[in-house]
Amino acid sequence: MALRDVRVLLLSPPVQSPPGATNKPNASLAYPNLAGAVRAHGVDVRIFDACVGDGDDPLEEMFANPTMLPSGYLRTGVSDERILGAVADHDIVAISSIFTDQETMALRCARLIRAAYPDKVLITGGVNARSRLPRFFAAGFDLVCLSEGEQTILEIVDAVRRSPRPDFSAIHGVAFVDAGGATRVNPARAQDVVWDLDELPMPAWDLLPNQRYWTMARPHSGLFEPGVELRYAQMMTSLGCPFHCAYCHISGEQEGSLSGPIGKFRIKSDERVLAELDMLKDLGVQDVFIEDDSLLGDKRRALRLLRKIQGSGFRICDLNGINIIHLLKRWKPDHEVLEALAGAGFTQINLPFESGSLRILRKYASNKLNIEMADIKSLIIAMKEYGFRIYGNYMLGYPDETMEEIERTLDLAREHVSYGLDATHFFVVVPLPGSALYDKAVAEGHFTEDFDPDVMNIYRANMTGTLVPGHVLEEIRNRAWDEINPASYIEAKRRTVAKAS
């Protein structure tokens, strides 16, 4: 049977931001990864990031004048009419929903497109979407991908190519509503997980609106010279993580879950990583953001790879965070690793300290760091001597966390700054759907399954009934940010905050 031609649009919705937070593109790697797979399959594919637009869309104006939403959040991006125009000539529209705080925008786009184009096939995926199936189907999505999507999207595309009324029942790793209105869930299978990451198609970074990202120069973290074009791109050299922290989506991505065991740590070969870097260099990229959940999860492999990257000419940032235990050897700074990172071009690194309480780290953070044994002072001093700009991440507000434990975390952050840490980030604990912490929060009455996604973010209390009340957590978080951080860092961050027009 001949397959008909179809066109695929990967749509990244406008972004919503709380007033006072940076309005910036999500720029999820899902889009270039999926686009690479679809293009390698010989199918026409396009990426449209509705946060920054393309062509004649007024980039500077959109960021300077975000619009106020009924929720009080600020919307940055193109108009609804512009979105409808972008999707008009495409048969399949895919919208990723990894980030719960952006769920509202994903659902809004789905409703908008479904109302205007009832025959288009709408698909979504990501940890948030698979954890919130009823809401996504109610908004008009036809399919939710439950696992990593590079192969799944090809099966979906071919089903649509075979028939304008496709049958998805034989596809594993998807959920859909059947003709009778019942939700069908075909869980992912372990045998469908890509264990050799070199088998994945090369990401289609060239389909991203890179020049617009570089003009705005607002990556997800870090500190950069204001007003200077930042020619950056994101990449991953591995997937999964050897740890399974309760607050992380990986804690739910195990054998027997809807996603299958995609949380297991898997690596790309050195040759594949070098090939991806060559591709980015050809695009004009100068700054590379490593998004691995555990870059140094296999230290021997990491050292070998870092040494091969030396001389590549990139400035490299790991702002997703490097697990601190991997920067240590017998609880002291591992100078072999630090030297390799510096030699490879790393400039900025986030350090996920998480908590000053050993009990909290053992219970919620995989017991991955013994802060009572680790010589963090020597590590920070050493990292500064190697020339890194380093930031610390700290989390406040676990369900059973005491005020004493929170104060211990704040004291730890103050100590780290006194040793030379450049700045601190304080996050209120978020029970993300798909994580073990979410299940715990729902079971213990700290959270309801029908929560409003607009209230879920790292700046406010997301749970009720915590030992330290939510309003107190927010006051502590805001006070710590202003008190512990250098004034220059606070001012630099405030230059990019969302402001109502």
Side-chain angles (χ1 to χ4, degrees):
M1 179 178 65
L3 299 178
R4 65 194 186 106
D5 291 333
V6 298
R7 301 186 70 204
V8 178
L9 180 73
L10 305 179
L11 172 67
S12 185
V15 166
Q16 66 171 24
S17 311
T22 301
N23 57 340
K24 55 193 176 185
N26 274 330
S28 167
L29 274 169
Y31 293 100
N33 288 343
L34 294 174
V38 174
R39 183 165 64 183
H41 199 55
V43 173
D44 189 327
V45 61
R46 177 190 176 198
I47 298 173
F48 183 72
D49 188 338
C51 176
V52 301
D54 63 17
D56 295 329
D57 294 322
L59 179 65
E60 301 283 354
E61 180 182 331
M62 291 189 298
F63 274 79
N65 300 293
T67 56
M68 179 73 75
L69 297 167
S71 63
Y73 280 40
L74 300 173
R75 177 189 188 275
T76 301
V78 302
S79 67
D80 288 353
E81 293 73 21
R82 179 72 175 91
I83 292 172
L84 290 176
V87 305
D89 295 331
H90 296 82
D91 306 277
I92 301 171
V93 180
I95 302 173
S96 177
S97 185
I98 300 170
F99 309 107
T100 303
D101 64 341
Q102 297 298 321
E103 176 183 300
T104 294
M105 288 292 101
L107 298 183
R108 177 188 174 96
C109 284
R111 295 188 185 100
L112 177 73
I113 296 166
R114 178 57 70 217
Y117 302 110
D119 294 329
K120 292 191 186 299
V121 176
L122 290 181
I123 64 177
T124 185
V127 60
N128 182 67
R130 70 167 175 262
S131 303
R132 308 264 286 165
L133 295 178
R135 292 178 65 90
F136 280 79
F137 289 136
F141 281 103
D142 296 292
L143 278 162
V144 177
C145 297
L146 303 174
S147 190
E148 294 166 341
E150 286 87 348
Q151 178 58 38
T152 305
I153 195 170
L154 303 186
E155 296 182 43
I156 295 169
V157 166
D158 283 349
V160 176
R161 293 173 76 190
R162 284 191 292 270
S163 170
R165 297 185 179 277
D167 177 11
F168 302 120
S169 60
I171 301 176
H172 291 279
V174 298
F176 58 96
V177 176
D178 65 20
T183 298
R184 292 273 303 276
V185 176
N186 294 344
R189 302 175 300 179
Q191 61 262 41
D192 295 326
V193 174
V194 178
W195 301 108
D196 180 0
L197 300 186
D198 288 9
E199 295 177 358
L200 295 173
M202 295 290 279
W205 286 293
D206 58 298
L207 296 183
L208 293 171
N210 292 304
Q211 188 59 57
R212 289 184 161 242
Y213 295 155
W214 300 345
T215 298
M216 290 312 304
R218 295 190 186 183
H220 64 82
S221 187
L223 190 63
F224 301 91
E225 194 69 28
V228 176
E229 182 182 74
L230 182 65
R231 300 175 70 86
Y232 72 95
Q234 299 158 258
M235 70 174 293
M236 299 185 79
T237 78
S238 66
L239 294 176
C241 184
F243 303 111
H244 304 100
C245 302
Y247 46 79
C248 182
H249 63 95
I250 285 174
S251 61
E253 294 175 343
Q254 307 303 317
E255 192 78 53
S257 67
L258 288 181
S259 68
I262 59 174
K264 289 190 176 181
F265 184 62
R266 294 162 286 154
I267 61 172
K268 294 177 182 176
S269 70
D270 299 355
E271 293 70 28
R272 168 60 181 252
V273 175
L274 293 172
E276 292 190 12
L277 287 172
D278 284 343
M279 179 180 287
L280 293 178
K281 182 168 289 187
D282 289 342
L283 288 174
V285 170
Q286 297 171 347
D287 291 84
V288 174
F289 287 71
I290 300 293
E291 303 293 337
D292 296 39
D293 288 300
S294 193
L295 175 64
L296 307 179
D298 179 339
K299 190 176 282 191
R300 287 181 298 179
R301 173 259 185 181
L303 284 170
R304 185 183 66 242
L305 177 60
L306 290 171
R307 288 167 181 148
K308 290 182 179 179
I309 291 173
Q310 290 184 15
S312 65
F314 290 108
R315 292 183 297 266
I316 305 178
C317 300
D318 194 314
L319 299 173
N320 207 28
I322 294 180
N323 283 307
I324 297 160
I325 190 64
H326 294 147
L327 299 172
L328 302 171
K329 186 175 183 179
R330 300 187 185 92
W331 304 111
K332 298 289 185 180
D334 190 334
H335 286 274
E336 185 180 19
V337 169
L338 298 181
E339 183 178 350
L341 288 167
F346 280 71
T347 59
Q348 301 190 52
I349 297 175
N350 275 349
L351 301 176
F353 292 105
E354 319 296 19
S355 175
S357 166
L358 191 57
R359 182 189 74 85
I360 292 291
L361 290 171
R362 285 172 172 167
K363 183 173 182 178
Y364 294 102
S366 300
N367 195 25
K368 62 184 177 183
L369 178 67
N370 189 322
I371 54 173
E372 296 178 1
M373 296 182 66
D375 187 354
I376 300 300
K377 179 178 181 179
S378 294
L379 176 63
I380 291 174
I381 292 172
M383 293 186 76
K384 294 306 296 179
E385 290 175 346
Y386 279 100
F388 300 118
R389 183 177 288 166
I390 50 176
Y391 314 100
N393 292 346
Y394 308 85
M395 300 170 69
L396 313 171
Y398 294 93
D400 57 345
E401 188 175 26
T402 66
M403 181 64 79
E404 179 184 359
E405 289 173 320
I406 289 175
E407 290 294 346
R408 201 178 305 158
T409 298
L410 300 181
D411 288 341
L412 190 70
R414 293 185 185 96
E415 286 181 22
H416 293 165
V417 170
S418 75
Y419 302 151
L421 193 75
D422 289 282
T424 58
H425 305 137
F426 297 99
F427 306 130
V428 181
V429 175
V430 181
L432 291 169
S435 69
L437 182 60
Y438 173 81
D439 294 336
K440 176 182 175 63
V442 171
E444 295 180 356
H446 300 293
F447 212 64
T448 60
E449 291 180 318
D450 61 348
F451 69 91
D452 179 359
D454 284 349
V455 305
M456 180 177 277
N457 65 67
I458 57 177
Y459 307 108
R460 59 176 297 160
N462 300 282
M463 292 181 280
T464 60
T466 53
L467 282 185
V468 177
H471 70 281
V472 177
L473 288 172
E474 292 177 14
E475 291 171 3
I476 291 172
R477 184 260 163 207
N478 295 336
R479 187 169 64 247
W481 166 260
D482 287 330
E483 173 203 330
I484 299 176
N485 278 315
S488 58
Y489 186 76
I490 293 173
E491 177 57 30
K493 286 298 185 182
R494 285 178 176 164
R495 285 196 292 265
T496 61
V497 300
K499 298 175 183 177
S501 57

